[in-house]
Amino acid sequence: MNKTLTNKILITLGFLFIYRVLAYVPVPGVNTEVIKDFFTSNANNALGLFNMFSGNAAERLSIISLGIMPYITASIIMELLAATFPNLGKMKKERDGMQKYMQIIRYATIVITIIQAIGVSIGLQSLTGRGGEQAVMIDMELFIAISCASMLTGTMLLMWIGEQITQRGIGNGISLIIFAGIVSGILPAIFGTIDLVNTGEMNFLVVLAIAAIILATVGVVIYVELGERRVPISYSRKTVMENQNKRIMNYIPVKVNLSGVIPPIFASAILMFPSTILQASTNEYIQMINDFLNPNSYVFNLLTFLFIVFFAYFYASIVFNAKDISENLKRQGGFIPGVRPGESTAEYLNELASRITFSGAIYLGLISTLPWLLLVKFMGVPFYFGGTSVLIVVSVALDTMRRIEAQIYMNKYQTLSAVGL
């Protein structure tokens, strides 16, 4: 393996190790046992989902217990604003403007983190354990200040780690942080399932059904994520003669899932944000709304499906720019057989992408909600299980493998070029 690739992998693993260490650093002034018992009793609702995405840091009230979700929420807001306001969208496309754009996201992350940290801190005020122990062991006003500072520091560290992995490691840093958080909960989930079987709370046939559904979900994700529609491209005789010593791609690959893993992550971030805030209230009407946002409710999963479909279309429109592709083809002397270059090519590609995105959006929505419907509602599994976590893990793993393979091929090409072949 090439030394550069090895270093990138080691850098990625090193930063992920730091992330996991931070998950065990609690906010000062809390009784972690009381909080852990609270999350254990709420494992099948929004808190369980929130804890899963934080890599079980929430149940320890770690300094990174809010996870990377405030950053993702800020990114969602900015993406929507960029699509609404042309000047902001133009700023995002420019090199200098992109730096300002990212700086705005960081400032928005700070604001969202402080709001969520205050909500969590106030919610812990009335939390007590089995023996009447208080979750907060110091003065409440002092605790709110300490927890806000601690969680803000933790979230900023996670954001920095994600950026460092993207720039210096392998893969998308933010996606890998979420990936590592979910994967860290696999072994505890396996041991917990074994305990449920041993105590008779779960039938062994149900365990086999869970395994079968997980394997089927993984298989479907791999099949669809690797699927693509290849649009044939022809080049003029002059272009082929000028580039006869170079490889010219004779098709445009259009992935079935153009938006990748972003829609489920965005949908989860949006649905978890109000749950975090609403937990702090004791008002019966607010609690009623909070119950509707329970991951084991039909309302939550319906909203998840709708948000995923929306973000699939929204993000696909950003990733796949038919106008730019058609202009690049025209400059290179390429064209789609039977379609006129220029505007007609852009319209054709837009229509094709729209049809493919429909299939990809439905696939993402079903993968994220169908396993929950089969296991929790039909089979009565006593804990939350959703396809979103499986989708994220498999998709991020595939994307990272692609990047590693691309790095290997690039290194081979550079080696051949160096020896004059």
Side-chain angles (χ1 to χ4, degrees):
M1 188 181 290
N2 184 272
K3 186 178 179 181
T4 303
L5 178 59
T6 303
N7 289 338
K8 286 187 174 184
I9 293 174
L10 290 176
I11 287 170
T12 302
L13 293 176
F15 278 116
L16 291 179
F17 176 75
I18 294 172
Y19 157 63
R20 291 311 304 156
V21 170
L22 290 174
Y24 289 87
V25 180
V27 172
V30 295
N31 189 329
T32 54
E33 290 300 319
V34 173
I35 295 171
K36 188 173 182 179
D37 290 342
F38 175 69
F39 272 94
T40 301
S41 62
N42 288 275
N44 62 342
N45 58 29
L47 288 173
L49 182 63
F50 178 75
N51 188 43
M52 180 191 72
F53 274 100
S54 70
N56 294 327
E59 69 178 26
R60 306 182 189 99
L61 202 69
S62 160
I63 61 172
I64 60 165
S65 55
L66 294 179
I68 201 68
M69 287 304 172
Y71 176 80
I72 294 174
T73 305
S75 300
I76 296 170
I77 295 170
M78 287 301 295
E79 291 285 2
L80 292 172
L81 290 175
T84 306
F85 299 102
N87 290 337
L88 190 60
K90 185 179 179 181
M91 182 180 74
K92 181 185 172 184
K93 294 179 181 179
E94 298 171 353
R95 180 177 296 180
D96 293 337
M98 188 60 182
Q99 294 179 351
K100 294 179 182 178
Y101 181 86
M102 293 304 298
Q103 196 66 27
I104 295 171
I105 290 179
R106 293 188 186 100
Y107 288 136
T109 302
I110 292 173
V111 175
I112 293 171
T113 302
I114 291 173
I115 292 172
Q116 287 189 314
I118 292 173
V120 170
S121 303
I122 295 173
L124 292 174
Q125 183 177 11
S126 58
L127 182 63
T128 56
R130 297 173 186 174
E133 298 174 312
Q134 294 288 328
V136 180
M137 299 184 295
I138 59 176
D139 179 71
M140 195 60 203
E141 292 181 0
L142 177 62
F143 174 70
I144 291 175
I146 292 174
S147 65
C148 282
S150 301
M151 292 182 188
L152 180 60
T153 302
T155 299
M156 292 297 105
L157 277 172
L158 279 190
M159 188 172 66
W160 178 79
I161 287 172
E163 290 176 352
Q164 292 302 307
I165 291 174
T166 302
Q167 293 171 9
R168 301 168 58 189
I170 288 285
N172 182 289
I174 302 301
S175 296
L176 280 171
I177 286 174
I178 299 173
F179 169 88
I182 295 172
V183 168
S184 68
I186 290 179
L187 278 178
I190 291 174
F191 291 138
T193 303
I194 292 173
D195 289 340
L196 290 174
V197 173
N198 291 335
T199 56
E201 294 180 49
M202 184 182 291
N203 193 297
F204 184 69
L205 293 176
V206 174
V207 176
L208 292 179
I210 293 172
I213 291 175
I214 291 175
L215 289 175
T217 304
V218 170
V220 170
V221 171
I222 292 174
Y223 178 78
V224 176
E225 291 298 322
L226 296 178
E228 61 184 22
R229 167 72 184 276
R230 296 183 174 182
V231 182
I233 299 296
S234 295
Y235 290 90
S236 64
R237 181 182 177 87
K238 180 181 178 181
T239 304
V240 174
M241 293 299 293
E242 289 176 351
N243 296 277
Q244 57 183 337
N245 294 323
K246 299 179 181 179
R247 180 177 178 272
I248 301 177
M249 184 177 288
N250 59 353
Y251 64 87
I252 300 174
V254 183
K255 291 185 63 179
V256 175
N257 180 21
L258 279 168
S259 53
V261 76
I262 297 298
I265 294 176
F266 277 15
S268 299
I270 283 181
L271 290 172
M272 282 193 291
F273 179 74
S275 295
T276 309
I277 306 301
L278 295 176
Q279 288 291 334
S281 176
T282 57
N283 185 285
E284 58 177 328
Y285 296 107
I286 293 180
Q287 284 301 311
M288 190 183 300
I289 296 172
N290 197 31
D291 290 338
F292 275 115
L293 296 179
N294 185 324
N296 280 331
S297 69
Y298 287 105
V299 173
F300 179 91
N301 283 274
L302 177 61
L303 289 174
T304 299
F305 184 90
L306 294 176
F307 274 127
I308 286 175
V309 170
F310 168 76
F311 282 118
Y313 272 97
F314 174 74
Y315 205 74
S317 66
I318 297 174
V319 173
F320 189 82
N321 192 320
K323 187 176 180 180
D324 288 349
I325 294 173
S326 66
E327 289 176 355
N328 289 335
L329 276 177
K330 194 173 182 179
R331 282 196 298 267
Q332 295 170 8
F335 60 93
I336 300 172
V339 182
R340 296 185 64 177
E343 192 66 32
S344 297
T345 298
E347 290 176 2
Y348 174 82
L349 291 174
N350 268 326
E351 185 180 348
L352 176 67
S354 180
R355 292 200 306 268
I356 292 177
T357 301
F358 175 77
S359 302
I362 297 300
Y363 143 76
L364 285 175
L366 290 178
I367 283 293
S368 299
T369 57
L370 198 57
W372 162 83
L373 187 64
L374 292 174
L375 289 176
V376 179
K377 288 302 178 184
F378 288 171
M379 301 179 63
V381 173
F383 54 80
Y384 173 75
F385 177 86
T388 302
S389 54
V390 178
L391 175 66
I392 291 173
V393 168
V394 176
S395 298
V396 173
L398 287 173
D399 179 64
T400 306
M401 287 173 61
R402 286 194 200 100
R403 293 176 189 241
I404 291 174
E405 288 176 357
Q407 185 72 40
I408 291 172
Y409 286 133
M410 187 175 70
N411 292 334
K412 286 182 179 179
Y413 177 78
Q414 290 174 345
T415 303
L416 291 172
S417 299
V419 298
L421 295 177

